[in-house]
């Protein structure tokens, strides 16, 4: 048996179940070996799409996603998606074929590529060690939540696997340690909660794990804390009457007001970065700040004054609950009533600016929120439009919202929704994208149609890079580089096998109902011609560059 086959088998035995990629000569055998051993392979049409699919799949609870790419150009095509995953600490294993001859057209320094975006670089080096090295890379991705690029030199892949190469010795790999906080750290947190009158919990990526919601809600309930999330954990506290939804640029006016008035903010597995705090403006001058995090380096990385509690979210919240003093804290009836009626963006009054031939993005999104079933999973691209789907579409829980924006790249939204849809197949996938982001990642429309995903793709089409238009336009700059003639995106989608509609006024959405009531055997694209309208979170984004 060749190394490629032995490695494929071993990775599936280790738990690899879903592989995304584009197959070329160098990753043909390893990909087939994974499939033969029982993994599911999804062929993307661009490696960038495949990388983001694997990232989103992993984030949305599918388990460690695998990405399989051809040597050199296959990997470089995937690099934006890999950078996004690495920045987000997504457990992801990239199987990258590799040439060893520098004169090959495919040669590029693949280890340097990995390091340049913060991914871990690994390599199989011999027939005898390949399986062990491959399994170690998989475990590193899973247990340390890292994006690992495992380079697979073609000559090594082609060797006869060494004796015993398909088996592995479990003793070689230490189990991941669970991070139990120290007694002193728990005492600090408990005392801070006892002293606080208006505590707010902000749950981040580290709160998405099993049992975290329950543990946090129990502690928040005991200590009278209001609860919010960063964008990547949106949905975590859905249904909780004390939930403020997202903290940061997307916060509704009421959420922002209540967070700003807190006297204690506890970030749970949350960096409290510029987005989550509006460049610090959501943290009052005298507000005490505590971060609960697995990693010491995260403490104070964004908020100088943050005090640290080292531990994982669930273990720390559970330990604190045992010691915490009961208090009403921030949970006053008047506040609950205001939250019930004001915290959702869709309940904030606005003047519809729609015309005869262009729809207001808020009106469009609220109408879709009413039309689409609640059991949905929403993926969003980047751009001026992105706050509308993020804040006007409700989601069932934190596995219903996938936000791949750590690299702030446009073009990832469609692939994000494909990966998310495969991780949560019982939910209606909704991709929310701008015209710019859609056209950048457009090749994956074919993947959606081929997989038969019952996806709704909503294109907020302003025929422009709206983010740039609204940032530079008011200063009188020439906008010819960021404005485009109309594209009939509905026709493009039909060409890929979609059902598609063009929406200019709310009544144009009527076919969505019919599609929902039908067999949903073809995906639906909504090309919504939206008015050009600067969004409230945009200036925030440009302030941070
Ligand atoms: C890969 C990449 N290229 C360029 C940018 C800069 N950029 C940020 S938003 C944006 C416009 C996106 O246009 P669209 O998808 O139509 O959304 P809109 O802003 O119009 O709502 C661009 C080009 C980026 N973030 N990522
Ligand atoms: Mg646009």
């Amino acid at each position: 048996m060749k190394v490629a086959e032995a490695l494929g088998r071993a990775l599936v035995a280790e738990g690899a179940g879903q592989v995304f990629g584009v197959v070329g000569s160098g990753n043909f055998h390893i990909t087939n070996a994974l499939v033969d051993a029982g993994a599911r392979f999804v062929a993307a049409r661009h490696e960038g799409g495949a990388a983001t699919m694997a990232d989103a799949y992993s984030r949305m609870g599918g388990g460690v996603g695998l990405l399989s790419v051809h040597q050199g150009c296959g990997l470089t095509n995937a690099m934006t998606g890999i950078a996004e995953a690495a920045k987000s600490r997504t457990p992801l294993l990239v199987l990258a074929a590799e040439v060893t001859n520098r004169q090959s057209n495919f040669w590029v320094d693949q280890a340097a590529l990995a390091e340049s975006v913060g991914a871990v670089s690994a390599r199989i080096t011999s027939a005898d060690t390949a399986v062990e090295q491959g399994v170690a890379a998989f475990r590193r991705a899973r247990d340390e939540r890292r994006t690992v690029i495992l380079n697979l030199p073609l000559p090594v892949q082609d060797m006869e696997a060494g004796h015993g190469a398909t088996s592995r010795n479990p003793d070689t790999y230490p189990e991941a340690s669970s991070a139990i906080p120290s007694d002193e750290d728990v005492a600090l947190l408990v005392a801070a909660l006892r002293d606080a009158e208006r505590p707010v919990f902000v749950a981040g990526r580290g709160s998405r794990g099993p049992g975290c919601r329950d543990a946090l809600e129990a502690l928040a309930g005991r200590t009278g804390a209001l609860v919010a999330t960063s964008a990547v954990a949106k949905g975590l506290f859905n249904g909780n009457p004390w939930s403020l939804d997202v903290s940061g640029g997307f916060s509704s006016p009421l959420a922002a007001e209540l967070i700003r008035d807190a006297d204690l903010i506890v970030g749970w597995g949350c960096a409290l970065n510029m987005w989550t705090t509006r460049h610090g403006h959501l943290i009052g001058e005298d507000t005490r700040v505590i971060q609960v995090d697995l990693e010491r380096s995260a403490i104070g990385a964004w908020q100088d004054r943050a005090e640290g509690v080292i531990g994982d979210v669930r273990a720390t919240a559970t330990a604190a609950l045992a010691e915490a003093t009961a208090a009403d804290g921030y949970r006053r009836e008047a506040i609950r009533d205001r939250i019930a009626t004001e915290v959702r963006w869709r309940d904030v009054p606005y003047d519809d600016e729609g015309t005869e031939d262009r729809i207001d993005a808020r009106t469009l999104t609220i109408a879709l929120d009413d039309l689409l079933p609640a059991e949905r999973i929403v993926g969003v691209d980047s751009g001026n439009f992105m706050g509308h789907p993020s804040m006007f579409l409700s989601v069932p829980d934190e596995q219903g919202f996938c936000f791949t924006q750590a690299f702030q790249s446009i073009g990832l939204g469609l692939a994000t929704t494909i990966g998310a849809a495969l991780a949560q197949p019982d939910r209606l996938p909704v991709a929310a994208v701008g015209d710019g982001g859609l056209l950048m990642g457009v090749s994956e429309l074919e993947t959606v149609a081929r997989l038969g995903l019952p996806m709704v793709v909503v294109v907020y089409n302003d025929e422009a890079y709206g983010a740039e238009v609204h940032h530079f336009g008011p200063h009188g700059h020439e906008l010819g580089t960021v404005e485009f003639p109309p594209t009939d995106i509905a026709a493009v989608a039909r060409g890929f096998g979609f059902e598609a509609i063009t929406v200019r006024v709310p009544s144009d959405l009527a076919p969505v109902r019919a599609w929902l009531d039908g067999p949903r055997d073809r995906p639906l694209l909504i090309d919504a011609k939206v008015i050009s309208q600067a969004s409230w979170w945009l200036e925030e984004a440009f302030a941070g560059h």
Side-chain angles (χ1 to χ4, degrees):
M1 186 191 304
K2 297 276 167 85
V3 161
E5 189 183 343
L7 182 55
R9 287 186 183 195
L11 288 172
V12 172
E14 188 61 26
Q18 176 69 57
V19 190
F20 300 87
V22 174
V23 170
S25 58
N27 60 334
F28 181 84
H29 293 302
I30 181 82
T31 309
N32 277 349
L34 287 158
V35 172
D36 283 348
R40 178 180 184 191
F41 176 69
V42 167
R45 289 304 192 161
H46 189 287
E47 289 86 351
T52 299
M53 289 174 207
D55 180 357
Y57 178 83
S58 196
R59 290 188 202 207
M60 293 293 111
V64 178
L66 266 67
L67 167 66
S68 172
V69 294
H70 184 68
Q71 56 273 25
C73 45
L75 182 61
T76 53
N77 262 0
M79 284 317 293
T80 299
I82 291 173
E84 167 64 38
K87 282 169 182 276
S88 301
R89 293 291 297 265
T90 299
L92 173 63
L93 181 64
V94 184
L95 301 171
E98 186 185 38
V99 293
T100 47
N101 174 3
R102 285 185 176 238
Q103 276 156 337
S104 162
N105 294 85
F106 292 125
W107 193 86
V108 64
D109 186 342
Q110 300 194 173
L113 276 177
E115 272 151 36
S116 69
V117 297
V120 174
S121 181
R123 179 176 281 114
I124 57 169
T125 53
S126 75
D128 283 341
T129 56
V131 164
E132 195 171 333
Q133 289 165 324
V135 171
F138 182 89
R139 290 186 173 194
R140 182 135 192 229
R142 183 189 62 198
D143 299 340
E144 296 179 28
R145 295 163 293 112
R146 296 301 298 266
T147 294
V148 179
I149 297 184
L150 178 65
N151 291 302
L152 307 172
L154 299 182
V156 181
Q157 284 196 57
D158 200 36
M159 287 172 181
E160 281 303 314
H163 178 68
T166 53
S167 63
R168 57 189 170 79
N169 175 4
D171 301 335
T172 328
Y173 313 104
E175 283 302 311
S177 58
S178 69
I180 308 294
S182 70
D183 291 347
E184 299 78 62
D185 278 7
V186 173
L188 176 137
L189 176 61
V190 167
L193 286 166
R194 187 194 57 223
D195 295 343
E197 288 175 8
R198 295 177 308 284
V200 172
F201 288 1
V202 184
R205 193 178 59 230
S207 296
R208 294 177 51 93
C212 291
R213 174 182 177 156
D214 287 349
L216 286 173
E217 285 192 319
L219 183 64
R222 172 77 55 85
T223 57
L226 304 183
V227 291
T229 71
S230 66
V232 292
K234 178 182 166 64
L236 185 70
F237 298 119
N238 269 8
N240 185 316
W242 303 102
S243 168
L244 304 177
D245 201 357
V246 174
S247 171
F250 293 159
S251 289
S252 64
L254 177 66
E257 176 193 324
L258 292 172
I259 296 166
R260 215 179 280 120
D261 283 349
D263 62 350
L264 171 67
I265 290 179
V266 186
W268 294 89
C270 179
L272 296 174
N273 65 19
M274 60 185 178
W275 306 111
T276 309
T277 65
R278 292 193 186 174
H279 292 89
H281 296 308
L282 290 184
I283 304 184
E285 240 168 64
D286 300 321
T287 306
R288 189 168 176 187
V289 180
I290 294 180
Q291 272 180 270
V292 177
D293 210 288
L294 271 174
E295 283 170 35
R296 205 164 284 281
S297 61
I299 311 298
W302 287 91
Q303 305 305 326
D304 290 344
R305 77 180 104 150
E307 301 163 72
V309 170
I310 306 302
D312 87 359
V313 166
R314 183 179 168 185
T316 305
T318 306
L321 181 67
E323 310 287 328
T325 316
D328 291 340
Y330 218 159
R331 297 193 170 196
R332 296 191 288 274
E333 220 166 283
I335 286 184
R336 191 185 52 205
D337 294 346
R338 282 191 73 194
I339 291 174
T341 53
E342 284 178 55
V343 88
R344 297 191 314 166
W345 265 111
R346 56 169 294 167
D347 295 331
V348 177
Y350 68 95
D351 292 325
D352 187 304
E353 294 171 24
T355 63
E356 265 169 28
D357 51 14
R358 300 206 87 91
I359 190 167
D360 187 307
R362 295 165 293 190
T363 304
L364 165 76
T365 317
I366 291 170
L368 288 171
D369 192 42
D370 290 337
L371 273 168
L372 302 175
E375 275 301 304
R376 58 181 82 145
I377 183 156
V378 178
V380 258
D381 211 305
S382 199
N384 178 61
F385 77 96
M386 73 180 172
H388 293 116
S390 300
M391 296 316 296
F392 289 83
L393 288 180
S394 59
V395 294
D397 56 31
E398 79 281 11
Q399 305 291 38
F401 185 71
C402 196
F403 197 69
T404 43
Q405 300 203 5
F407 201 15
Q408 250 183 282
S409 174
I410 65 166
L412 307 187
L414 181 60
T416 294
T417 316
I418 297 174
L422 293 169
Q424 299 288 336
D426 296 332
R427 294 183 166 180
L428 181 90
V430 182
V433 297
D435 50 310
L438 187 270
L439 292 171
M440 189 175 276
V442 75
S443 54
E444 304 310 343
L445 285 178
E446 193 276 340
T447 307
V448 176
R450 174 166 35 89
L451 295 180
L453 294 174
M455 187 184 289
V456 178
V457 178
V458 187
V459 187
Y460 291 78
N461 190 351
D462 62 353
E463 287 137 18
Y465 292 150
E468 281 65 26
V469 167
H470 298 298
H471 183 58
F472 295 108
H475 304 289
H477 295 289
E478 177 55 46
L479 297 173
T481 53
V482 289
E483 289 177 335
F484 297 90
T487 303
D488 187 350
I489 294 180
V492 171
R494 281 184 208 110
F496 280 113
F498 276 61
E499 217 170 297
I501 59 171
T502 302
V503 170
R504 295 180 179 280
V505 291
S507 58
D508 290 339
L509 284 165
V512 177
R513 176 79 278 148
W515 181 86
L516 286 166
D517 292 340
R520 303 185 199 171
D521 52 358
R522 285 195 299 161
L524 173 69
L525 182 135
I526 301 169
D527 182 12
K529 311 291 189 188
V530 294
I531 51 171
S532 175
Q533 183 182 44
S535 58
W536 74 91
W537 57 87
L538 189 70
E539 284 314 312
E540 198 65 31
F542 278 105
H545 294 285

